[in-house]
Amino acid sequence: MAGPRVVIIGAGVVGAALADEISARGWTEVTVVDQGPLPATGGSSSHAPGLVFQTNPSKTMTELARYTVEKFCSLDVDGEPCFLQVGGLEVATSPERLAELHRRHGWITAWGIEARLLTPDECVAKHPLVDRDKVLGGLLVPTDGLAKAVLAVEAQIRRATGRGVRFLARHEVLDVRQSEGRVTAVVTDQGEIPADVVVCCAGIWGPRIARMVGMNLPLTPLAHQLAWTGPVPALAGQTEEAVRPILRHQDADLYYRDRFDGIGIGYYGHRPMPVSADDILSVDEAEEMPSVLKFTEEDFEDAWTETQSLLPATKEAKVEEGINGLFSFTTDGYPLLGESPDVKGFWVAEAVWVTHSAGVGRAVAEWLVDGYCSSFDLHECDVNRFEPHQLSPEYVLARDCQNFVEVYDILHPLQPSGKPRPIRTSPFYARQQDHGAFFLEANGWERPQWYEANAGLVEGRDIPTPNDWAARYWSPVVGAEAQATREKVALYDMTALKRLEVSGPGAADFLEGLVTGKVAKSVGSVTYTLLLDADGGIRSDITVARLARDRFQVGANGNLDLDWFTRHLPAEGTVQVRDITAGTCCIGLWGPLAREVLQPLTDADFSNEGLKYFRAKHAHIGSVPVTAMRLSYVGELGWELYTTADQGLKLWDTLWAAAEPLGGVIAGRGAFNSLRLEKGYRSFGTDMTYEHDPYEAGVGFAVRLDKGDFTGRAALERRKADVRRRLSCLTIEDPAAVVMGKEPVYDGERAVGYVTSAAYGYTIGKGIAYAWLPAELAVPGTAVRIGYFDQRVEAVVAEEPLFDPSMSRLRG
């Protein structure tokens, strides 16, 4: 036996996959417990219809699904396959859905999986039950198919058992013991099992198990309708379980699968039916299984009517069986993976459907055994990604139900989130409303995209209108605000950016060991630097300002940065980290006239010599004490001005009173994004993630290999000489051809990369798209094409930055 003592709670498709993957990596002192029988334990895996569609706007989710498909295709139980690779077909019955299928084709192509757009006739050829007159086209992914979930569980149990893993059926978990902040055992109704690591794979029971260690899991079980027809005469004599592709009719929230001479029908169009994890029946109490609720025929009426319209042959059949099956939903649609922030050794692998199960098993196994996941970028899935308000019961229930409703909806990348709103507002919110702000949400913050008060600025400017899709949640005011920033000066609300304080006598050494740059410099220094994982992948890009000998302010990207710092704190207590975001606020004052606005308001010296680029100082702006940092994410002269939340409104009013007479404007996020792309500034989570290293991402300048050791340094030394892909700047001449991100990039007819961030550059007069390309194509002047819906947009690799390469405006 090898490795720590691991107890996996839940032997469904996730728990079985994790047991298989972790034992294959040499950890064999593993026990898997489940309250139900094996291999059909009574959870979601036991009734899952098994449809595996790999297409997803998330690259990570597609890659998790791809691994699941590949693994399941290799598994069988006594010769019976665990995956029926019949393909996946999505059909469009409206022009809007047909356009969406082109977009989805772009995603799956960008992520490297074969897919093909079909004509109506080709759709019918693939699935003859489909009404030819109903469909406008389709998307076929040949490697999609049907996962036999219970068989896959059994196959992986057998593999893991062969390596020494114990599986204990009919063991109900009553408690998870802990001592001094670490798990020690799992208590079941049949005894106590010692543990160094506990992984909760309990699915719909996950919140109940997590609560045993004080962990709030933002997961809601929701009932989803699944029905089975009796024999369909048109399918008479079909002896194979499935011969036609699995089918999605997303315009009506429906999906279909073969079952010999009958059809399975899944439906998301009904009302959300949430269930508390505490109210789910036990295995012995449930009539069929705990995850199966009584079928509510009245909720299925529209589904059956629409099914008979799309698949006319079903008019000669009847719905003979039906369930309301429970599945896990989260507030953002992603799984919940990772270790508890408070109890060491307690991990979760939750809200994972069959589609991604084997991929998640591999990801978590790597994370546990190696300390990081090398196969997948998991930043979207980390359970510690949430802000405190995102764990409130009201928020979780509302957003989980919303995600159920929107499962098959056509969602725009900028589409505003639903209730509850507003949740977090900056001190400037009232003034922003007065100026007609159009708000979008970011981590709960109401963040202005543009201001209608600036509509008069549009007149006389050359601001091209983008295509219809890109023009949603857009206004020509965005372009006017961007140009006005370059011409004069603008105020930007930067409050939504995460701010951390790192303090204590060990703060400087602590940070030096985690970041790639030199931050233990003089008081007043500001450093752009990176956090890396052990494999050299970028965990975040941050700014570190030394405000006192033992106090630093970190400009972070989100809660995962706070979690990363907290996990690495020295045991002796010489360093403290706290989130100061809620108690502070920030205004970006940027533009060529920024000094003319600021200097008359203060006795402090804000000349070029008085506060140099990437330096910070304390000052008073009028009567408001601020921390001023000479930084600019838009590439203009100016400062980030921080103060406490209670004095934020006074700071805003003071600056605005000085800026308005000079022709200054208040500007929103739309202008901000355009300006930062003109300057080539990266955005973590969009342009670069855990899977990329600094040299690929074009931020190698933030790495100081000549300093002392830091996390990821050894890996970087290996990776530096082997850069095979690069984040590249593309420009687009056609002013209407504004892309949005995640589109495939083609070299001829070959898909070679994908777009990350994109916007129109209102200063340079061109569209801008950053994209990952093979290193040999990431050469200025290289012509490529971007797949945008059913178009191919001409683009060219450009030298960056596109604006002010000499940095004269920033340093002036």
Short mmCIF file of all heavy atoms in Angstrom, two decimals, residues 243-298:
data_model
loop_
_atom_site.label_atom_id
_atom_site.label_comp_id
_atom_site.label_asym_id
_atom_site.label_seq_id
_atom_site.Cartn_x
_atom_site.Cartn_y
_atom_site.Cartn_z
N VAL A 243 -28.47 3.56 -32.43
CA VAL A 243 -27.86 3.60 -33.75
C VAL A 243 -27.84 5.03 -34.31
O VAL A 243 -27.04 5.34 -35.19
CB VAL A 243 -28.60 2.67 -34.74
CG1 VAL A 243 -28.47 1.23 -34.30
CG2 VAL A 243 -30.07 3.07 -34.88
N ARG A 244 -28.74 5.88 -33.83
CA ARG A 244 -28.79 7.26 -34.29
C ARG A 244 -28.00 8.15 -33.32
O ARG A 244 -27.82 7.81 -32.15
CB ARG A 244 -30.24 7.75 -34.37
CG ARG A 244 -30.98 7.32 -35.63
CD ARG A 244 -32.48 7.47 -35.47
NE ARG A 244 -32.98 6.50 -34.50
CZ ARG A 244 -33.22 5.21 -34.79
NH1 ARG A 244 -33.06 4.78 -36.02
NH2 ARG A 244 -33.66 4.40 -33.87
N PRO A 245 -27.55 9.31 -33.79
CA PRO A 245 -26.83 10.22 -32.88
C PRO A 245 -27.73 10.67 -31.74
O PRO A 245 -28.96 10.74 -31.89
CB PRO A 245 -26.47 11.42 -33.78
CG PRO A 245 -26.63 10.95 -35.18
CD PRO A 245 -27.67 9.86 -35.15
N ILE A 246 -27.14 10.93 -30.61
CA ILE A 246 -27.89 11.64 -29.57
C ILE A 246 -28.26 13.00 -30.15
O ILE A 246 -27.54 13.57 -30.96
CB ILE A 246 -27.07 11.76 -28.27
CG1 ILE A 246 -25.70 12.43 -28.53
CG2 ILE A 246 -26.89 10.40 -27.63
CD1 ILE A 246 -24.89 12.68 -27.26
N LEU A 247 -29.40 13.51 -29.76
CA LEU A 247 -30.00 14.65 -30.47
C LEU A 247 -30.38 15.74 -29.48
O LEU A 247 -30.96 15.45 -28.42
CB LEU A 247 -31.25 14.16 -31.22
CG LEU A 247 -32.06 15.18 -32.00
CD1 LEU A 247 -31.27 15.73 -33.17
CD2 LEU A 247 -33.37 14.55 -32.48
N ARG A 248 -30.05 16.98 -29.83
CA ARG A 248 -30.49 18.12 -29.01
C ARG A 248 -31.35 19.06 -29.85
O ARG A 248 -30.95 19.47 -30.94
CB ARG A 248 -29.29 18.88 -28.44
CG ARG A 248 -28.76 18.26 -27.18
CD ARG A 248 -28.05 19.25 -26.28
NE ARG A 248 -26.69 19.49 -26.64
CZ ARG A 248 -25.73 19.86 -25.78
NH1 ARG A 248 -26.01 20.02 -24.50
NH2 ARG A 248 -24.51 20.09 -26.19
N HIS A 249 -32.50 19.40 -29.29
CA HIS A 249 -33.41 20.39 -29.88
C HIS A 249 -33.49 21.53 -28.86
O HIS A 249 -34.43 21.66 -28.09
CB HIS A 249 -34.78 19.73 -30.10
CG HIS A 249 -35.84 20.64 -30.60
ND1 HIS A 249 -35.60 21.80 -31.30
CD2 HIS A 249 -37.22 20.54 -30.47
CE1 HIS A 249 -36.74 22.39 -31.59
NE2 HIS A 249 -37.74 21.64 -31.10
N GLN A 250 -32.44 22.36 -28.89
CA GLN A 250 -32.28 23.34 -27.82
C GLN A 250 -33.29 24.48 -27.91
O GLN A 250 -33.55 25.15 -26.90
CB GLN A 250 -30.84 23.87 -27.84
CG GLN A 250 -29.85 22.79 -27.38
CD GLN A 250 -28.43 23.09 -27.80
OE1 GLN A 250 -28.15 23.13 -28.99
NE2 GLN A 250 -27.55 23.27 -26.86
N ASP A 251 -33.85 24.72 -29.09
CA ASP A 251 -34.89 25.75 -29.19
C ASP A 251 -36.08 25.43 -28.30
O ASP A 251 -36.84 26.33 -27.92
CB ASP A 251 -35.36 25.89 -30.65
CG ASP A 251 -34.38 26.72 -31.47
OD1 ASP A 251 -33.83 27.69 -30.94
OD2 ASP A 251 -34.19 26.39 -32.66
N ALA A 252 -36.27 24.16 -27.97
CA ALA A 252 -37.39 23.75 -27.12
C ALA A 252 -36.91 23.10 -25.83
O ALA A 252 -37.69 22.45 -25.14
CB ALA A 252 -38.30 22.79 -27.88
N ASP A 253 -35.62 23.25 -25.49
CA ASP A 253 -35.06 22.73 -24.23
C ASP A 253 -35.16 21.21 -24.15
O ASP A 253 -35.39 20.64 -23.06
CB ASP A 253 -35.76 23.36 -23.02
CG ASP A 253 -35.54 24.85 -22.93
OD1 ASP A 253 -34.37 25.27 -22.93
OD2 ASP A 253 -36.54 25.61 -22.90
N LEU A 254 -34.97 20.52 -25.27
CA LEU A 254 -35.15 19.08 -25.32
C LEU A 254 -33.90 18.36 -25.83
O LEU A 254 -33.11 18.90 -26.61
CB LEU A 254 -36.32 18.73 -26.26
CG LEU A 254 -37.72 19.00 -25.71
CD1 LEU A 254 -38.72 19.08 -26.85
CD2 LEU A 254 -38.12 17.92 -24.71
N TYR A 255 -33.75 17.12 -25.38
CA TYR A 255 -32.75 16.22 -25.97
C TYR A 255 -33.34 14.82 -26.07
O TYR A 255 -34.31 14.49 -25.38
CB TYR A 255 -31.44 16.23 -25.17
CG TYR A 255 -31.53 15.70 -23.76
CD1 TYR A 255 -31.61 14.34 -23.49
CD2 TYR A 255 -31.50 16.58 -22.68
CE1 TYR A 255 -31.67 13.86 -22.19
CE2 TYR A 255 -31.56 16.11 -21.37
CZ TYR A 255 -31.64 14.76 -21.14
OH TYR A 255 -31.71 14.28 -19.85
N TYR A 256 -32.72 14.00 -26.94
CA TYR A 256 -33.26 12.67 -27.23
C TYR A 256 -32.13 11.65 -27.37
O TYR A 256 -31.03 11.99 -27.81
CB TYR A 256 -34.05 12.69 -28.55
CG TYR A 256 -35.15 13.72 -28.59
CD1 TYR A 256 -34.92 14.97 -29.16
CD2 TYR A 256 -36.41 13.45 -28.07
CE1 TYR A 256 -35.92 15.93 -29.21
CE2 TYR A 256 -37.42 14.40 -28.11
CZ TYR A 256 -37.17 15.64 -28.67
OH TYR A 256 -38.17 16.58 -28.71
N ARG A 257 -32.46 10.42 -27.04
CA ARG A 257 -31.55 9.30 -27.25
C ARG A 257 -32.33 8.05 -27.58
O ARG A 257 -33.50 7.89 -27.19
CB ARG A 257 -30.70 9.06 -26.01
CG ARG A 257 -31.49 8.80 -24.73
CD ARG A 257 -30.71 7.92 -23.75
NE ARG A 257 -30.50 6.58 -24.27
CZ ARG A 257 -29.80 5.65 -23.64
NH1 ARG A 257 -29.24 5.91 -22.48
NH2 ARG A 257 -29.65 4.43 -24.17
N ASP A 258 -31.68 7.16 -28.32
CA ASP A 258 -32.28 5.85 -28.62
C ASP A 258 -32.32 4.98 -27.37
O ASP A 258 -31.45 5.07 -26.49
CB ASP A 258 -31.42 5.11 -29.65
CG ASP A 258 -31.57 5.65 -31.06
OD1 ASP A 258 -32.22 6.70 -31.22
OD2 ASP A 258 -31.01 5.04 -31.98
N ARG A 259 -33.30 4.11 -27.32
CA ARG A 259 -33.27 2.95 -26.42
C ARG A 259 -34.01 1.83 -27.13
O ARG A 259 -35.22 1.67 -26.99
CB ARG A 259 -33.90 3.25 -25.06
CG ARG A 259 -33.67 2.09 -24.08
CD ARG A 259 -34.14 2.40 -22.68
NE ARG A 259 -35.58 2.43 -22.57
CZ ARG A 259 -36.24 2.47 -21.40
NH1 ARG A 259 -35.55 2.50 -20.27
NH2 ARG A 259 -37.55 2.52 -21.38
N PHE A 260 -33.25 1.12 -27.98
CA PHE A 260 -33.82 0.06 -28.82
C PHE A 260 -34.95 0.62 -29.67
O PHE A 260 -34.71 1.51 -30.47
CB PHE A 260 -34.23 -1.15 -27.96
CG PHE A 260 -33.07 -1.71 -27.18
CD1 PHE A 260 -32.93 -1.47 -25.81
CD2 PHE A 260 -32.10 -2.46 -27.82
CE1 PHE A 260 -31.85 -1.97 -25.11
CE2 PHE A 260 -31.00 -2.97 -27.12
CZ PHE A 260 -30.89 -2.72 -25.77
N ASP A 261 -36.18 0.17 -29.50
CA ASP A 261 -37.25 0.67 -30.37
C ASP A 261 -38.04 1.81 -29.71
O ASP A 261 -39.12 2.17 -30.17
CB ASP A 261 -38.20 -0.47 -30.76
CG ASP A 261 -38.90 -1.09 -29.57
OD1 ASP A 261 -38.52 -0.75 -28.42
OD2 ASP A 261 -39.81 -1.92 -29.78
N GLY A 262 -37.49 2.37 -28.66
CA GLY A 262 -38.11 3.52 -28.01
C GLY A 262 -37.13 4.69 -27.94
O GLY A 262 -35.98 4.60 -28.39
N ILE A 263 -37.61 5.79 -27.40
CA ILE A 263 -36.80 7.00 -27.35
C ILE A 263 -36.85 7.59 -25.95
O ILE A 263 -37.92 7.64 -25.31
CB ILE A 263 -37.33 8.05 -28.36
CG1 ILE A 263 -37.13 7.54 -29.79
CG2 ILE A 263 -36.62 9.39 -28.19
CD1 ILE A 263 -37.72 8.45 -30.84
N GLY A 264 -35.69 8.03 -25.47
CA GLY A 264 -35.61 8.77 -24.22
C GLY A 264 -35.68 10.27 -24.50
O GLY A 264 -35.08 10.75 -25.46
N ILE A 265 -36.43 10.99 -23.69
CA ILE A 265 -36.66 12.42 -23.89
C ILE A 265 -36.29 13.16 -22.61
O ILE A 265 -36.87 12.92 -21.55
CB ILE A 265 -38.13 12.72 -24.23
CG1 ILE A 265 -38.60 11.85 -25.40
CG2 ILE A 265 -38.33 14.20 -24.52
CD1 ILE A 265 -40.12 11.85 -25.57
N GLY A 266 -35.32 14.07 -22.70
CA GLY A 266 -34.95 14.91 -21.56
C GLY A 266 -35.44 16.33 -21.78
O GLY A 266 -35.40 16.84 -22.91
N TYR A 267 -35.87 16.97 -20.70
CA TYR A 267 -36.54 18.27 -20.84
C TYR A 267 -36.08 19.24 -19.76
O TYR A 267 -36.09 18.92 -18.57
CB TYR A 267 -38.05 18.05 -20.73
CG TYR A 267 -38.91 19.27 -20.99
CD1 TYR A 267 -38.64 20.13 -22.05
CD2 TYR A 267 -40.00 19.56 -20.17
CE1 TYR A 267 -39.44 21.23 -22.31
CE2 TYR A 267 -40.81 20.66 -20.42
CZ TYR A 267 -40.53 21.50 -21.48
OH TYR A 267 -41.31 22.59 -21.73
N TYR A 268 -35.63 20.44 -20.23
CA TYR A 268 -35.24 21.51 -19.32
C TYR A 268 -36.22 22.69 -19.36
O TYR A 268 -35.96 23.72 -18.73
CB TYR A 268 -33.85 22.04 -19.69
CG TYR A 268 -32.71 21.12 -19.35
CD1 TYR A 268 -32.07 20.39 -20.34
CD2 TYR A 268 -32.27 20.98 -18.04
CE1 TYR A 268 -31.01 19.54 -20.04
CE2 TYR A 268 -31.22 20.15 -17.72
CZ TYR A 268 -30.59 19.43 -18.72
OH TYR A 268 -29.55 18.59 -18.42
N GLY A 269 -37.31 22.56 -20.09
CA GLY A 269 -38.20 23.69 -20.28
C GLY A 269 -39.21 23.89 -19.17
O GLY A 269 -39.97 24.86 -19.20
N HIS A 270 -39.23 23.01 -18.20
CA HIS A 270 -40.21 23.13 -17.13
C HIS A 270 -39.70 24.09 -16.04
O HIS A 270 -38.54 24.51 -16.03
CB HIS A 270 -40.53 21.76 -16.54
CG HIS A 270 -39.32 21.01 -16.05
ND1 HIS A 270 -38.72 21.27 -14.85
CD2 HIS A 270 -38.61 20.00 -16.63
CE1 HIS A 270 -37.69 20.45 -14.68
NE2 HIS A 270 -37.60 19.68 -15.76
N ARG A 271 -40.56 24.37 -15.10
CA ARG A 271 -40.20 25.24 -13.98
C ARG A 271 -39.06 24.62 -13.18
O ARG A 271 -38.95 23.39 -13.07
CB ARG A 271 -41.42 25.41 -13.06
CG ARG A 271 -41.91 24.09 -12.49
CD ARG A 271 -43.27 24.16 -11.82
NE ARG A 271 -43.77 22.80 -11.57
CZ ARG A 271 -43.56 22.13 -10.43
NH1 ARG A 271 -42.88 22.69 -9.45
NH2 ARG A 271 -44.06 20.91 -10.29
N PRO A 272 -38.18 25.44 -12.61
CA PRO A 272 -37.14 24.88 -11.73
C PRO A 272 -37.78 24.20 -10.53
O PRO A 272 -38.75 24.71 -9.94
CB PRO A 272 -36.34 26.12 -11.30
CG PRO A 272 -36.64 27.16 -12.32
CD PRO A 272 -38.05 26.90 -12.77
N MET A 273 -37.24 23.05 -10.17
CA MET A 273 -37.76 22.28 -9.04
C MET A 273 -36.61 21.94 -8.09
O MET A 273 -36.09 20.83 -8.09
CB MET A 273 -38.46 21.01 -9.53
CG MET A 273 -39.73 21.29 -10.33
SD MET A 273 -40.61 19.79 -10.84
CE MET A 273 -39.90 19.51 -12.47
N PRO A 274 -36.17 22.94 -7.30
CA PRO A 274 -35.05 22.71 -6.40
C PRO A 274 -35.45 21.85 -5.20
O PRO A 274 -36.60 21.86 -4.76
CB PRO A 274 -34.67 24.12 -5.95
CG PRO A 274 -35.93 24.91 -6.05
CD PRO A 274 -36.68 24.33 -7.23
N VAL A 275 -34.48 21.12 -4.69
CA VAL A 275 -34.68 20.26 -3.52
C VAL A 275 -33.50 20.47 -2.58
O VAL A 275 -32.36 20.54 -3.03
CB VAL A 275 -34.76 18.77 -3.93
CG1 VAL A 275 -34.87 17.87 -2.71
CG2 VAL A 275 -35.94 18.54 -4.87
N SER A 276 -33.75 20.59 -1.32
CA SER A 276 -32.66 20.68 -0.35
C SER A 276 -31.98 19.33 -0.21
O SER A 276 -32.64 18.28 -0.20
CB SER A 276 -33.21 21.13 1.01
OG SER A 276 -32.21 20.98 2.01
N ALA A 277 -30.65 19.36 -0.09
CA ALA A 277 -29.92 18.11 0.11
C ALA A 277 -30.38 17.39 1.37
O ALA A 277 -30.29 16.16 1.45
CB ALA A 277 -28.41 18.40 0.17
N ASP A 278 -30.88 18.14 2.34
CA ASP A 278 -31.33 17.53 3.60
C ASP A 278 -32.67 16.81 3.45
O ASP A 278 -33.04 16.02 4.32
CB ASP A 278 -31.46 18.61 4.68
CG ASP A 278 -30.12 19.22 5.05
OD1 ASP A 278 -29.13 18.46 5.09
OD2 ASP A 278 -30.06 20.43 5.28
N ASP A 279 -33.38 17.11 2.38
CA ASP A 279 -34.71 16.52 2.19
C ASP A 279 -34.70 15.30 1.27
O ASP A 279 -35.76 14.71 1.01
CB ASP A 279 -35.67 17.56 1.63
CG ASP A 279 -35.94 18.69 2.61
OD1 ASP A 279 -35.79 18.47 3.83
OD2 ASP A 279 -36.26 19.81 2.16
N ILE A 280 -33.53 14.94 0.75
CA ILE A 280 -33.46 13.77 -0.13
C ILE A 280 -33.59 12.50 0.71
O ILE A 280 -32.94 12.35 1.75
CB ILE A 280 -32.13 13.77 -0.91
CG1 ILE A 280 -32.02 15.05 -1.75
CG2 ILE A 280 -32.04 12.54 -1.80
CD1 ILE A 280 -30.65 15.23 -2.39
N LEU A 281 -34.43 11.60 0.26
CA LEU A 281 -34.68 10.38 1.02
C LEU A 281 -33.43 9.50 1.07
O LEU A 281 -32.55 9.57 0.21
CB LEU A 281 -35.83 9.60 0.40
CG LEU A 281 -37.20 10.30 0.39
CD1 LEU A 281 -38.22 9.44 -0.34
CD2 LEU A 281 -37.66 10.63 1.80
N SER A 282 -33.38 8.65 2.07
CA SER A 282 -32.30 7.67 2.15
C SER A 282 -32.54 6.55 1.13
O SER A 282 -33.62 6.44 0.54
CB SER A 282 -32.24 7.07 3.56
OG SER A 282 -33.37 6.26 3.79
N VAL A 283 -31.54 5.73 0.96
CA VAL A 283 -31.64 4.62 0.01
C VAL A 283 -32.79 3.69 0.38
O VAL A 283 -33.55 3.23 -0.49
CB VAL A 283 -30.31 3.83 -0.03
CG1 VAL A 283 -30.47 2.56 -0.87
CG2 VAL A 283 -29.19 4.70 -0.59
N ASP A 284 -32.96 3.44 1.65
CA ASP A 284 -34.00 2.51 2.08
C ASP A 284 -35.39 3.13 2.03
O ASP A 284 -36.39 2.42 1.86
CB ASP A 284 -33.70 2.01 3.50
CG ASP A 284 -32.45 1.14 3.53
OD1 ASP A 284 -32.18 0.46 2.52
OD2 ASP A 284 -31.74 1.16 4.56
N GLU A 285 -35.47 4.44 2.19
CA GLU A 285 -36.77 5.11 2.19
C GLU A 285 -37.31 5.32 0.78
O GLU A 285 -38.52 5.34 0.56
CB GLU A 285 -36.66 6.48 2.87
CG GLU A 285 -36.41 6.42 4.37
CD GLU A 285 -36.16 7.80 4.95
OE1 GLU A 285 -35.48 8.62 4.28
OE2 GLU A 285 -36.63 8.07 6.07
N ALA A 286 -36.42 5.49 -0.19
CA ALA A 286 -36.83 5.85 -1.55
C ALA A 286 -37.55 4.69 -2.23
O ALA A 286 -37.15 3.53 -2.11
CB ALA A 286 -35.62 6.26 -2.37
N GLU A 287 -38.61 5.02 -2.97
CA GLU A 287 -39.38 3.99 -3.67
C GLU A 287 -38.54 3.35 -4.77
O GLU A 287 -38.55 2.12 -4.93
CB GLU A 287 -40.64 4.62 -4.25
CG GLU A 287 -41.55 3.63 -4.94
CD GLU A 287 -42.84 4.27 -5.41
OE1 GLU A 287 -43.26 5.30 -4.81
OE2 GLU A 287 -43.43 3.77 -6.37
N GLU A 288 -37.84 4.17 -5.57
CA GLU A 288 -36.98 3.63 -6.63
C GLU A 288 -35.52 3.84 -6.28
O GLU A 288 -34.76 2.90 -6.13
CB GLU A 288 -37.31 4.32 -7.96
CG GLU A 288 -36.52 3.76 -9.14
CD GLU A 288 -36.97 4.36 -10.46
OE1 GLU A 288 -38.02 5.04 -10.49
OE2 GLU A 288 -36.26 4.13 -11.48
N MET A 289 -35.12 5.10 -6.15
CA MET A 289 -33.79 5.47 -5.68
C MET A 289 -33.88 6.91 -5.19
O MET A 289 -34.78 7.65 -5.60
CB MET A 289 -32.73 5.30 -6.78
CG MET A 289 -32.90 6.20 -7.99
SD MET A 289 -31.61 5.95 -9.24
CE MET A 289 -32.13 4.41 -10.01
N PRO A 290 -32.98 7.33 -4.32
CA PRO A 290 -33.11 8.66 -3.72
C PRO A 290 -33.10 9.80 -4.71
O PRO A 290 -33.74 10.84 -4.49
CB PRO A 290 -31.90 8.75 -2.78
CG PRO A 290 -31.56 7.34 -2.47
CD PRO A 290 -31.88 6.56 -3.70
N SER A 291 -32.40 9.65 -5.82
CA SER A 291 -32.26 10.74 -6.78
C SER A 291 -33.41 10.81 -7.78
O SER A 291 -33.41 11.66 -8.67
CB SER A 291 -30.95 10.59 -7.56
OG SER A 291 -30.94 9.36 -8.28
N VAL A 292 -34.40 9.95 -7.63
CA VAL A 292 -35.53 9.90 -8.55
C VAL A 292 -36.80 10.31 -7.82
O VAL A 292 -37.21 9.69 -6.85
CB VAL A 292 -35.68 8.50 -9.16
CG1 VAL A 292 -37.00 8.39 -9.90
CG2 VAL A 292 -34.52 8.19 -10.09
N LEU A 293 -37.42 11.37 -8.33
CA LEU A 293 -38.68 11.86 -7.79
C LEU A 293 -39.82 11.50 -8.75
O LEU A 293 -39.59 11.17 -9.92
CB LEU A 293 -38.63 13.37 -7.57
CG LEU A 293 -37.47 13.89 -6.72
CD1 LEU A 293 -37.56 15.40 -6.57
CD2 LEU A 293 -37.43 13.21 -5.36
N LYS A 294 -41.03 11.60 -8.24
CA LYS A 294 -42.20 11.24 -9.06
C LYS A 294 -42.31 12.16 -10.27
O LYS A 294 -42.14 13.37 -10.18
CB LYS A 294 -43.46 11.34 -8.20
CG LYS A 294 -44.72 10.90 -8.93
CD LYS A 294 -45.95 10.99 -8.03
CE LYS A 294 -47.21 10.57 -8.79
NZ LYS A 294 -48.42 10.68 -7.93
N PHE A 295 -42.61 11.57 -11.40
CA PHE A 295 -42.79 12.30 -12.66
C PHE A 295 -44.03 13.18 -12.58
O PHE A 295 -45.10 12.72 -12.17
CB PHE A 295 -42.93 11.30 -13.80
CG PHE A 295 -42.94 11.90 -15.18
CD1 PHE A 295 -41.84 12.61 -15.65
CD2 PHE A 295 -44.04 11.74 -16.01
CE1 PHE A 295 -41.83 13.14 -16.93
CE2 PHE A 295 -44.04 12.27 -17.30
CZ PHE A 295 -42.93 12.97 -17.75
N THR A 296 -43.88 14.45 -12.95
CA THR A 296 -45.02 15.38 -12.94
C THR A 296 -45.46 15.60 -14.39
O THR A 296 -44.86 16.37 -15.14
CB THR A 296 -44.63 16.72 -12.28
OG1 THR A 296 -43.40 17.19 -12.86
CG2 THR A 296 -44.40 16.54 -10.79
N GLU A 297 -46.49 14.87 -14.77
CA GLU A 297 -46.91 14.84 -16.17
C GLU A 297 -47.28 16.21 -16.70
O GLU A 297 -47.04 16.53 -17.87
CB GLU A 297 -48.11 13.88 -16.33
CG GLU A 297 -47.75 12.42 -16.06
CD GLU A 297 -48.94 11.50 -16.30
OE1 GLU A 297 -49.99 12.00 -16.79
OE2 GLU A 297 -48.83 10.30 -15.99
N GLU A 298 -47.87 17.06 -15.84
CA GLU A 298 -48.29 18.38 -16.31
C GLU A 298 -47.11 19.24 -16.75
O GLU A 298 -47.24 20.09 -17.62
CB GLU A 298 -49.10 19.09 -15.22
CG GLU A 298 -48.34 19.43 -13.94
CD GLU A 298 -48.28 18.28 -12.95
OE1 GLU A 298 -48.61 17.13 -13.33
OE2 GLU A 298 -47.90 18.54 -11.78
#
